[in-house]
Amino acid sequence: GLIHRTPVFLSEGPLLFRRGVLPIDVALLNVSPPDQHGFCSLGTSVDVSLAAMQTAKHVIAQINKFVPRTHGDGLIHISHIDSVVEVCTPAGHQAEIVVFGFVFACRARNCACRKTT
């Protein structure tokens, strides 16, 4: 695949998504399990994840009981998630999920993608 690198300050990331400068096709997020009202938490990853989720064409969420539940802007309703994968992986451990024929190997917040054979 082709990767573009755009050096920016972390605080500018959400603006790039919302203005369409860096369009998001698929957002892959780690979230807490939904509460009784259907809200999941982005945990400690609210930086650019919220804007990516709000502007993506398709949202895939890994629901993980080890993602800490936080309050504030990092709450998203389960109805805003298109696909769900349930995992039970503590932070710092590797998990693999298969989405549309691609394997995403995620370790903490770093993810790699490869085509399945």
Side-chain angles (χ1 to χ4, degrees):
L2 186 63
I3 296 176
H4 296 279
R5 182 179 173 274
T6 306
V8 296
F9 292 108
L10 181 62
S11 62
E12 295 172 340
L15 288 175
L16 295 175
F17 300 150
R18 290 190 174 110
R19 292 180 180 167
V21 175
L22 293 175
I24 304 291
D25 290 325
V26 177
L28 179 62
L29 308 170
N30 284 304
V31 299
S32 70
D35 63 14
Q36 66 269 23
H37 303 291
F39 286 94
C40 301
S41 172
L42 289 171
T44 59
S45 195
V46 184
D47 45 18
V48 296
S49 299
L50 185 62
M53 187 272 313
Q54 291 170 336
T55 60
K57 295 175 186 170
H58 192 84
V59 177
I60 302 169
Q62 278 192 147
I63 295 181
N64 189 343
K65 72 176 186 175
F66 290 104
V67 171
R69 183 157 198 83
T70 58
H71 299 281
D73 293 337
L75 294 177
I76 58 172
H77 196 266
I78 194 79
S79 64
H80 296 285
I81 298 171
D82 300 306
S83 301
V84 170
V85 178
E86 290 190 49
V87 297
C88 188
T89 308
H93 290 73
Q94 183 153 336
E96 282 193 355
I97 61 171
V98 179
V99 179
F100 304 124
F102 288 90
V103 175
F104 291 88
C106 298
R107 181 174 188 89
R109 294 178 65 184
N110 301 314
C111 293
C113 177
R114 65 179 163 80
K115 182 82 170 129
T116 58
T117 55

